[in-house]
Amino acid sequence: MNGGSFRRHRRLRTSAGIRNMVRETHVQKEDLIAPLFVKEGEGIQTEVPSMPGVYQWSLDLLDEEADEIVALGIQALIVFGIPSSKDSCGSPAYDDNGIVQRAVAQIKERHPDLTVIADTCLCQFTDHGHCGVVDNGIIANDPSLELLAKTAVSQAKAGADIIAPSNMMDGFVQAIRSALDEAGFVHVPIMSYAVKYASAFYGPFRDAAHSAPSKGDRKTYQMDPANRLEAQREAASDEEEGADFLIVKPALSYLDIIRDIRNHHRLPIVAYNVSGEYAMIKAAAANGWIDEEAVVYEKMLSMKRAGADLILTYFAKDIARSLTR
């Protein structure tokens, strides 16, 4: 057959060297954000049953985990707090001596060059498990903004490099940006959970963070998984209000949304590879059904290929180890 009658695409796949030369998408350690669960108490290093390899840490053991993250070359982590007590308005979230604030300060003192992100929400700190103030069974949007702003300022005072509000209240970016600026934290960026779906993939996280709602669900403030255009409206609002990063959560079932946001926005995009996505791969690997390392890397590539600049993932340490080899 005449070699000119069709294209020889396989020429660029003939060796590992050539494949490496033409590879379009890469996953690097600098792309990764490692989650960290910090819990009140002492001597706590408790593995989350539904998330093998993920632990809750007390402050007295926290340095061990932070040291390993830094040693692996991961440059950013996000802190989720588990308080010893909760109340209806989530006051431990904005307590200057709260668990997140103390964890942030401790990590920054030991690792000043590590980028420490504070998850800014109320759900782990409210006795009802919702991300805002509950008034007669309704999640009250505007009263919640004041508490979220107080939380963000408290976290910035503790030394957080980035504030990451995850509550999906309307106007939350504007409220937090104004509060940070007024408190003198004009340099602290906001990594907004701009596009956060009411997903079934969050179950293991709620086990880890003790944040499941006691009544009802979060469908009145998190997005309907069926909606695509709504994601554009949410992201546009957050950018207009002053967001510096845009998170899409979850990642794997929403790669089309990541691509849509990438096509319309020039802010850095963060894909949140959530707990349920992590747990499924871990379970399949434990049963010998998949090659975990290969599948994880392929999934990370899919997020980067879709348009994500950064990936928040419970696989961060595993990926960093594989990239080191």
Side-chain angles (χ1 to χ4, degrees):
M1 182 178 289
N2 183 346
S5 63
F6 56 86
R7 296 289 302 272
R8 299 276 181 184
H9 298 289
R10 291 180 58 191
R11 288 175 183 148
L12 298 184
R13 305 173 194 152
T14 53
S15 70
I18 293 176
R19 292 192 296 273
N20 288 339
M21 288 174 64
V22 300
R23 183 162 294 138
E24 300 171 22
T25 306
H26 300 270
V27 177
Q28 306 175 87
K29 294 180 181 181
E30 293 83 358
D31 302 330
L32 304 173
I33 301 172
L36 189 61
F37 294 98
V38 185
K39 187 174 184 178
E40 295 275 13
E42 295 183 355
I44 297 171
Q45 182 186 345
T46 304
E47 188 172 29
V48 180
S50 55
M51 300 176 71
V54 175
Y55 293 82
Q56 299 168 334
W57 298 88
S58 54
L59 292 176
D60 57 317
L61 300 180
L62 182 60
D63 290 348
E64 174 185 338
E65 180 72 349
D67 290 352
E68 182 179 18
I69 288 170
V70 170
L72 287 169
I74 298 169
Q75 298 183 10
L77 60 78
I78 183 167
V79 177
F80 299 96
I82 306 165
S84 58
S85 63
K86 305 184 180 190
D87 58 32
S88 62
C89 60
S91 63
Y94 46 87
D95 183 345
D96 286 347
N97 196 40
I99 184 62
V100 170
Q101 288 80 354
R102 283 181 287 145
V104 167
Q106 181 173 322
I107 295 167
K108 288 301 295 183
E109 181 177 6
R110 188 173 179 88
H111 298 288
D113 295 329
L114 181 64
T115 298
V116 177
I117 306 164
D119 178 76
T120 306
C121 199
L122 302 177
C123 60
Q124 295 105 286
F125 304 93
T126 55
D127 52 17
H128 47 72
H130 280 287
C131 303
V133 176
V134 177
D135 184 7
N136 292 321
I138 303 298
I139 313 306
N141 192 92
D142 294 7
S144 301
L145 297 181
E146 180 181 352
L147 303 184
L148 292 165
K150 289 174 63 176
T151 301
V153 170
S154 179
Q155 293 169 340
K157 286 167 58 180
D161 297 292
I162 299 173
I163 297 300
S166 58
N167 51 87
M168 287 296 286
M169 297 293 111
D170 291 337
F172 68 110
V173 173
Q174 181 179 7
I176 289 172
R177 182 72 274 159
S178 296
L180 289 172
D181 291 353
E182 290 173 8
F185 296 107
V186 295
H187 60 286
V188 174
I190 296 175
M191 180 181 285
S192 171
Y193 286 67
V195 180
K196 183 177 180 180
Y197 285 89
S199 172
F201 285 98
Y202 301 152
F205 174 90
R206 292 172 183 173
D207 291 340
H210 300 173
S211 62
S214 59
K215 292 182 180 179
D217 54 42
R218 295 175 178 154
K219 293 181 180 180
T220 64
Y221 49 103
Q222 295 178 359
M223 289 176 50
D224 186 336
N227 291 356
R228 183 174 183 175
L229 296 179
E230 184 181 3
Q232 291 294 336
R233 299 196 297 271
E234 288 281 0
S237 293
D238 285 9
E239 182 169 5
E240 290 168 4
E241 292 174 19
D244 300 283
F245 301 81
L246 301 173
I247 296 178
V248 177
K249 179 184 181 182
L252 294 183
S253 293
Y254 300 88
L255 295 175
D256 60 323
I257 305 301
I258 294 174
R259 172 44 56 186
D260 283 347
I261 301 301
R262 174 77 294 151
N263 288 344
H264 291 88
H265 297 269
R266 293 296 172 260
L267 293 178
I269 294 173
V270 184
Y272 194 146
N273 179 213
V274 300
S275 59
E277 298 166 346
Y278 173 89
M280 289 191 301
I281 291 177
K282 284 291 186 181
N287 280 283
W289 297 335
I290 60 171
D291 178 333
E292 179 179 332
E293 184 174 314
V295 167
V296 168
Y297 191 72
E298 189 173 337
K299 292 298 186 184
M300 298 303 120
L301 283 174
S302 76
M303 297 171 209
K304 291 294 298 292
R305 194 177 63 247
D309 300 288
L310 301 166
I311 302 172
L312 199 169
T313 177
Y314 302 96
F315 288 111
K317 293 196 299 182
D318 293 343
I319 297 166
R321 291 188 192 100
S322 68
L323 291 173
T324 300
R325 293 199 293 272

